[in-house]
Amino acid sequence: MAEVEEQGRNLSEESTDESEEEDTEEEPKLKYERLTNGVTEILQKDAASCMTVHDKFLALGTHFGKVYLLDIQGNVTQKFEISPVKINQISLDESGDHVGICSEDGKVVALHPQFSKSNNKQFVTGGNKLLLYERNWLNRWKTSVLHEGEGNITNVKWRANLIAWANNVGVKIYDISSKQRITNVLRDNTNLRPDMYPCSLCWKDNTTLIIGWGSSVKICVVKERDPTEMRDLPSRYVEIVSAFETEFFISGLAPLADQLVTLYYVKDSSEHMFRTRPRLDIIQSLPEGCEEISSDALTVRNFQENQCRDYRLEHSEGESLFYIISPKDIVVAKERDQDDHIDWLLEKKKYEEALMAAEISFRNIKRHDLVLDNNLDSLGDYDAAARKCQKVLGKNMDLWENEVYRFKTIGQLKAISQYLPRGDLRLRPAIYEMILHEFLKTDYEGFATLIREWPGELYNNMAIVQAVNEHLKKDPTNSMLLTTLAELYTYDQRYDRALEIYLKLRHKDVYQLIHKHNLFSAIKDKIVLLMDFDKEKAVDMLLDNDDKISMDKVVEELKDRPELLHVYLHKLFKRDHHKGQKYHERQISLYAEYDRPNLLPFLRESMHCPLEKALEICQQRHFVEETVFLLSRMGNCRRALQMIMEELADVDKAIEFAKEQDDRELWDDLISYSIDKPPFITGLLNNIGTHVDPILLIHRIKEGMEIPNLRDSLVKILQDYNLQILLREGCKKILVADSLSLLQRMHRTQKRGVRVDEENICESCHTPILPSGTPLLLLMHPFVYINT
C-alpha cells in the first residue's frame, strides 16, 4: 500500500458536503490512501481503464493498451504492450499465475477460477456473443457459443462453476457444470444508455451475485432446486433476496461482511458542484430497501471530467481493501483498525477514552504501543520489540536514532539491524556503520549478510573497507571476509581490487563480475590466473571478446605456460581454421607435446601448417601415422607406403593407402614387399581383386610357400571374378537394349513430317525450298521429294 500523503486522510473529509457541520462526532468507517510510486508516473502519461486485485499483486490496464503488474505499494514489476486500444477487462485465476486480458476490440474476458489446475483451461470472452474456450484432448482450443443475439456483452464474472454476464437486455447466469443457463435478470432503468451507465457485477461468494445497474441494486442467490420439482427445469434457480433503488448512479459494488460498499457517480448540479465528486458508501441491504451506514465524497484527480463509466471499484478478498479506479487517480479505502480509532479519539481530545481503548485492545494495537518503552531489557524478546519499532517510530528519524542507541545500551544492536530504514528515508551513516562494526566484531556471516542487503550508500564504504582490512591482518585467509571485501570494492567501483580477490579465492562470480562491469582491460595481465581457475570458461570468454583482448595479447601472456597456450589455440582453431593461422607452426609442437590425438586431425584440417616443419617434428618423435600422412601429402607416397609396411606392419592399412592413391607403382611395391610374407599375401589376395589382377600376385608366389587360408582366399578371388563377369554381362544387355531403344527413337523422329513454307531454305543450295506461290506442303524427310 502506498504511504499516506499528509492530507491523504482528507480524501474523504475535505469533500464532505459543505452544508453539513464541519465538526462531526461520528467516527468514519473507512480510511483512504492514494496509490502512488509507479502508478503516479503511469497516470501522468496514460489513463487507467480497469484494474484487477490479487492478494499477491495488482494488474492495471490503461487507455493506451498497456497492462502493468504492480506490487501492493504501487511499484511496477512488469509491463506489457498489449494493444493499440483501451484495455477493457483483466481477469486472474485464483493462483494469480494466469492473466486474461481483453482490449476494446475484444470487449470482456473471464478465466476459470481454477485455470492453472484444470485440464481444460477454460475461459470466456464477450463481444456480440459469449464464447467459451477450452482445450480438448488433442490440446487444441475448442470454441462454444454460450449466448448471442442480445447486443454487446459489457461485463462478465466467473465464480466457481457459475458465469454471470451482462448485455443490453439484462444479466444471465450460466452453470458450467450442468451446461445450463439458469436465470435472466432483466435490466431496470432501460432509459439509460448501457455504454454510459454500465452494469456492475460482483460475486460475494460462490452463490451470491450482486448486480448494480444505473440506480438499481439486486442481490441474487443461486439455490438448488428440489429434485421432485425439476422435470425439464435446470437443477438450480436464482432468488432475488434484496432489490432497491439508490439516489445516485452505481459505478461499482463490493461486499463487506454482510454489508455493501458502493461507489456512486453523482450527476452534475449547478447548485451543488461538489456533488460531481464520486461517493463511497457503506450500506446495509434489507429485503425491501437499504440503510446507509456511512458515506464519503471523494476528491479524486480530474473528477470534474469523469463520467459514470470512468469509475471502477475492485476489492481484495483476503482483506478489506477497496480500490477506487479513475482515469487519473487510484485511491485505496480500508477499514479503520483500533489504532485508527485511537487516533480519532486523540484528535478529538478524548484522552481518557483513547487510553481505555488502548488498554482494552493492547493485543491488537500496533502503532500506539503500550509495552515498548524505556525498559526494553525487561521484555526479553528483543526481536519482537525491534519489529514494533517500524510501526511505532514510522518516519521520525530522530526517534529512530534514539531507539538505536537504546538498543546499543542493552547490547542488542543486532536485533534492530534488520528493521532499520533503508529506503528514501534514512538514518545518519554513522548509525549503520556502528551496527556493521558490531557485527564485524562477533559475527562475520551476519556482517556479510548486511553488506549484501544494505545499499552501499547507507554508510561510508571506505571506513568499512578499512575495518575489514584490519580484521584480515589477523585472519588473512578468511574466505568470508575476503568475499565481503570484494563486494565492498564492487560497491565503490574499485573493480580491479575485487577481481584480484575473486581470482585469489577462485570465486564462481569472477566471470560475471568481468562481464557485468566490462573489466577486460583489467584482466589483460591476469589471463594465467583465469586459466588456472577454469580453463574452459576462461578460453570461451577470451574468444568471445577478442575485440577487447586481442589474440596476440593472450598468446603473449601464455607464452610461459605452453599447456594453457595449447588449450587456447586449440579452441581458436576449432572455431575458425584460419583466424590463428600464424600460430599453426607453433601449434604443431604443442599438439605433439600435450594433445597427440588431435595432432593428425589438425594436420588434415590446417591449410597454413608448414609441412616440412611438421614432418621434422613427427619424425623426431617417431609419430608413424602422422609421418605417413605428411609424406603422402608432400607426394612421397612410396616412402609413406614403406613406413606403413615396415613400421606398422599393417597390411590392411597398406592396402587402404594404395587404394586411396590408386597408383599402379604403389601396388607393385606393395606386392614386392609382401611376396615373402605369407600373412601379407593372404591380405592381398582378399582385397586386391577389384584393383589389381590377382594372377600377377599368384605368379610371383614362390612354389612351396605355405600361405594361411589360401583356399578361402582363392574362393573369394573366383567369386569376385564371377561377380565381375555377371556385371559385365548385365551391363552389355543394358547397353544393347539402350542402343536399340535410341535407334528406334531416332528412326521415328526422322520419319515425322516437317512443315515447309516459303521461308525455309535448303541447307545444300541455300535457295528457298518452295517457289513463291507454291501451296504449303508437308515433307516426309528424307524419302519425299518435291518436283518444282
Side-chain angles (χ1 to χ4, degrees):
M1 189 64 59
E3 296 178 351
V4 184
E5 300 176 347
E6 290 185 6
Q7 289 83 22
R9 180 172 54 85
N10 296 326
L11 281 169
S12 61
E13 294 178 356
E14 71 181 2
S15 54
T16 53
D17 193 327
E18 294 178 355
S19 66
E20 296 176 2
E21 296 183 3
E22 294 183 1
D23 187 16
T24 176
E25 292 297 320
E26 184 177 356
E27 182 179 355
K29 301 296 183 182
L30 300 172
K31 59 182 178 181
Y32 299 87
E33 300 172 358
R34 184 163 273 128
L35 200 60
T36 56
N37 298 325
V39 172
T40 303
E41 183 178 351
I42 293 171
L43 298 186
Q44 285 175 350
K45 303 175 182 178
D46 203 341
S49 60
C50 61
M51 191 171 83
T52 300
V53 180
H54 192 270
D55 56 3
K56 299 177 184 177
F57 61 92
L58 311 174
L60 174 64
T62 73
H63 280 251
F64 289 174
K66 299 179 178 62
V67 173
Y68 297 86
L69 298 188
L70 314 168
D71 61 18
I72 57 175
Q73 283 81 30
N75 298 301
V76 178
T77 59
Q78 284 184 279
K79 174 185 174 183
F80 303 94
E81 302 273 354
I82 300 297
S83 170
V85 295
K86 182 178 74 172
I87 301 299
N88 252 16
Q89 190 169 16
I90 302 173
S91 176
L92 303 171
D93 65 351
E94 291 179 357
S95 69
D97 295 331
H98 291 84
V99 182
I101 302 169
C102 257
S103 57
E104 187 72 64
D105 50 359
K107 301 306 178 185
V108 291
V109 64
L111 299 184
H112 191 297
Q114 299 295 327
F115 187 89
S116 298
K117 299 178 181 178
S118 68
N119 294 327
N120 294 338
K121 303 296 183 188
Q122 296 173 315
F123 67 94
V124 292
T125 62
N128 56 6
K129 62 180 70 173
L130 187 69
L131 298 176
L132 172 66
Y133 293 81
E134 55 187 341
R135 287 193 185 277
N136 59 22
W137 63 278
L138 291 174
N139 204 29
R140 296 177 180 173
W141 287 109
K142 172 188 174 185
T143 307
S144 305
V145 177
L146 299 186
H147 186 71
E148 62 180 333
E150 293 183 355
N152 282 335
I153 296 169
T154 57
N155 199 352
V156 60
K157 298 288 184 182
W158 194 326
R159 181 70 176 252
N161 289 322
L162 299 175
I163 305 172
W165 71 93
N167 56 30
N168 293 344
V169 176
V171 175
K172 279 76 175 169
I173 300 178
Y174 183 85
D175 188 349
I176 197 71
S177 59
S178 63
K179 298 183 178 180
Q180 292 178 312
R181 196 176 73 193
I182 57 178
T183 192
N184 179 15
V185 181
L186 295 177
R187 172 167 72 102
D188 298 332
N189 310 127
T190 54
N191 59 322
L192 297 176
R193 288 174 53 184
D195 59 330
M196 298 299 294
Y197 298 89
C199 177
S200 296
L201 299 176
C202 176
W203 286 101
K204 179 180 179 180
D205 52 41
N206 289 351
T207 58
T208 306
L209 177 66
I210 308 170
I211 305 172
W213 207 332
S215 58
S216 171
V217 176
K218 295 178 181 178
I219 302 177
C220 307
V221 177
V222 179
K223 296 184 176 181
E224 298 290 338
R225 195 183 299 275
D226 187 347
T228 60
E229 301 176 355
M230 285 182 61
R231 298 179 184 173
D232 297 329
L233 298 175
S235 60
R236 291 179 170 184
Y237 71 100
V238 171
E239 178 180 347
I240 300 177
V241 296
S242 179
F244 52 89
E245 291 288 321
T246 61
E247 184 180 358
F248 308 110
F249 297 104
I250 297 164
S251 292
L253 295 167
L256 176 63
D258 60 342
Q259 300 170 338
L260 289 180
V261 177
T262 308
L263 178 63
Y264 287 129
Y265 167 73
V266 183
K267 266 195 171 181
D268 296 341
S269 171
S270 58
E271 298 179 1
H272 304 286
M273 292 301 295
F274 61 85
R275 288 192 176 274
T276 57
R277 301 182 180 108
R279 295 171 59 96
L280 194 70
D281 288 9
I282 299 177
I283 59 177
Q284 179 69 57
S285 63
L286 302 173
E288 298 180 1
C290 66
E291 178 185 359
E292 183 182 285
I293 307 299
S294 72
S295 179
D296 294 320
L298 308 178
T299 301
V300 298
R301 296 188 179 101
N302 290 16
F303 67 87
Q304 301 92 338
E305 302 174 9
N306 296 337
Q307 302 181 49
C308 182
R309 64 182 179 183
D310 294 323
Y311 292 106
R312 303 285 181 96
L313 178 64
E314 298 290 342
H315 72 287
S316 173
E317 294 186 359
E319 52 186 322
S320 297
L321 292 176
F322 305 93
Y323 294 80
I324 298 97
I325 300 102
S326 67
K328 290 296 181 181
D329 205 3
I330 298 177
V331 176
V332 187
K334 64 187 301 186
E335 283 189 288
R336 296 170 63 86
D337 56 19
Q338 195 64 20
D339 282 298
D340 298 314
H341 175 58
I342 296 172
D343 281 338
W344 185 81
L345 292 173
L346 291 173
E347 182 181 348
K348 299 298 180 182
K349 298 183 171 26
K350 299 180 180 182
Y351 301 113
E352 292 183 3
E353 293 180 33
L355 180 60
M356 184 180 298
E359 290 176 346
I360 293 173
S361 306
F362 73 95
R363 293 185 182 276
N364 298 323
I365 59 176
K366 300 174 181 179
R367 288 183 285 105
H368 299 281
D369 196 85
L370 300 180
V371 180
L372 183 62
D373 56 15
N374 292 327
N375 298 316
L376 270 173
D377 54 343
S378 65
L379 286 174
D381 189 353
Y382 299 107
D383 183 75
R387 187 166 53 251
K388 291 179 180 179
C389 288
Q390 289 183 307
K391 297 177 180 177
V392 175
L393 305 178
K395 301 177 182 179
N396 193 321
M397 296 298 105
D398 292 333
L399 290 179
W400 264 108
E401 292 195 4
N402 292 336
E403 208 62 44
V404 171
Y405 283 113
R406 286 165 58 189
F407 273 83
K408 175 179 173 60
T409 302
I410 60 175
Q412 292 297 327
L413 278 177
K414 290 184 179 180
I416 200 172
S417 62
Q418 59 181 312
Y419 303 109
L420 293 182
R422 62 183 78 169
D424 295 334
L425 296 173
R426 299 172 181 175
L427 307 176
R428 291 182 296 112
I431 301 297
Y432 300 100
E433 292 167 20
M434 177 176 67
I435 294 176
L436 288 173
H437 282 294
E438 180 69 22
F439 272 91
L440 193 55
K441 292 177 184 177
T442 58
D443 184 1
Y444 286 164
E445 185 175 354
F447 174 75
T449 301
L450 287 184
I451 293 298
R452 283 193 296 270
E453 293 179 352
W454 283 2
E457 57 269 18
L458 289 181
Y459 48 85
N460 185 334
N461 193 282
M462 293 309 300
I464 303 302
V465 167
Q466 184 177 353
V468 174
N469 279 321
E470 290 297 322
H471 281 262
L472 282 171
K473 290 178 181 178
K474 303 172 187 177
D475 188 5
T477 61
N478 189 294
S479 60
M480 184 169 290
L481 275 183
L482 287 169
T483 303
T484 308
L485 181 60
E487 292 175 2
L488 288 167
Y489 281 137
T490 303
Y491 294 150
D492 203 32
Q493 298 184 4
R494 298 167 68 181
Y495 302 122
D496 54 338
R497 295 286 189 88
L499 185 61
E500 288 179 6
I501 295 174
Y502 279 138
L503 287 173
K504 180 180 178 181
L505 295 175
R506 295 177 175 266
H507 197 282
K508 61 181 177 64
D509 290 341
V510 63
Y511 296 102
Q512 180 183 351
L513 180 73
I514 294 169
H515 281 287
K516 183 177 181 180
H517 301 291
N518 197 22
L519 303 181
F520 295 99
S521 59
I523 64 170
K524 288 183 178 179
D525 57 347
K526 299 178 177 63
I527 294 174
V528 174
L529 289 175
L530 285 167
M531 293 282 284
D532 281 336
F533 174 29
D534 190 325
K535 291 191 288 291
E536 295 299 322
K537 280 189 176 180
V539 170
D540 287 338
M541 181 188 69
L542 293 170
L543 294 177
D544 291 339
N545 298 275
D546 58 354
D547 56 328
K548 299 168 184 172
I549 302 180
S550 69
M551 177 177 57
D552 296 336
K553 178 61 179 175
V554 176
V555 173
E556 176 66 22
E557 288 294 316
L558 297 176
K559 64 181 179 180
D560 296 329
R561 294 291 299 276
E563 73 281 6
L564 299 179
L565 178 60
H566 165 67
V567 175
Y568 173 77
L569 291 177
H570 174 63
K571 274 213 166 185
L572 174 63
F573 180 74
K574 286 296 183 184
R575 288 196 180 192
D576 189 333
H577 290 352
H578 308 287
K579 202 166 189 179
Q581 57 181 284
K582 62 182 177 181
Y583 299 112
H584 284 196
E585 181 176 349
R586 185 184 300 188
Q587 281 186 266
I588 300 170
S589 300
L590 294 174
Y591 276 111
E593 181 68 26
Y594 302 106
D595 190 9
R596 186 190 169 184
N598 280 313
L599 174 57
L600 187 56
F602 170 74
L603 295 173
R604 291 182 186 277
E605 296 170 10
S606 172
M607 303 299 296
H608 311 285
C609 176
L611 300 180
E612 294 81 2
K613 179 67 175 178
L615 181 61
E616 179 185 348
I617 292 173
C618 291
Q619 287 178 337
Q620 288 175 356
R621 294 177 177 267
H622 200 63
F623 291 169
V624 178
E625 291 187 22
E626 292 81 354
T627 303
V628 168
F629 169 75
L630 290 168
L631 287 171
S632 65
R633 186 169 174 182
M634 295 169 70
N636 196 349
C637 297
R638 300 188 71 177
R639 174 60 184 149
L641 179 62
Q642 182 181 356
M643 286 195 68
I644 296 174
M645 295 186 294
E646 294 179 356
E647 302 289 342
L648 298 179
D650 190 333
V651 66
D652 293 330
K653 283 192 175 181
I655 294 170
E656 182 181 353
F657 181 78
K659 287 180 180 180
E660 289 177 358
Q661 304 303 319
D662 196 21
D663 187 339
R664 180 60 182 268
E665 292 184 359
L666 284 182
W667 284 111
D668 291 341
D669 291 344
L670 179 56
I671 293 172
S672 299
Y673 179 80
S674 306
I675 203 65
D676 59 347
K677 300 176 181 62
F680 275 45
I681 294 175
T682 302
L684 286 171
L685 289 173
N686 288 333
N687 290 280
I688 70 171
T690 57
H691 291 77
V692 179
D693 188 353
I695 299 299
L696 298 176
L697 173 62
I698 294 172
H699 282 322
R700 296 177 62 177
I701 299 174
K702 295 179 181 179
E703 188 174 350
M705 178 182 289
E706 291 188 10
I707 300 173
N709 302 317
L710 177 60
R711 186 188 66 177
D712 296 338
S713 299
L714 293 175
V715 169
K716 186 175 186 302
I717 290 173
L718 292 175
Q719 288 175 341
D720 290 344
Y721 178 76
N722 287 333
L723 180 60
Q724 290 183 20
I725 295 300
L726 290 174
L727 286 172
R728 288 180 181 179
E729 291 295 329
C731 291
K732 182 178 178 181
K733 289 180 180 180
I734 293 172
L735 181 60
V736 170
D738 285 350
S739 298
L740 179 60
S741 174
L742 292 172
L743 179 61
Q744 291 173 344
R745 183 189 300 177
M746 183 185 71
H747 185 254
R748 284 195 304 270
T749 301
Q750 291 181 343
K751 285 174 64 178
R752 285 189 308 178
V754 179
R755 186 177 185 273
V756 178
D757 56 24
E758 295 178 355
E759 296 180 358
N760 289 98
I761 304 297
C762 176
E763 293 293 334
S764 177
C765 62
H766 304 291
T767 59
I769 295 177
L770 294 178
S772 178
T774 303
L776 180 67
L777 296 178
L778 188 66
L779 302 186
M780 303 301 293
H781 179 79
F783 304 108
V784 177
Y785 296 90
I786 300 172
N787 185 1
T788 60

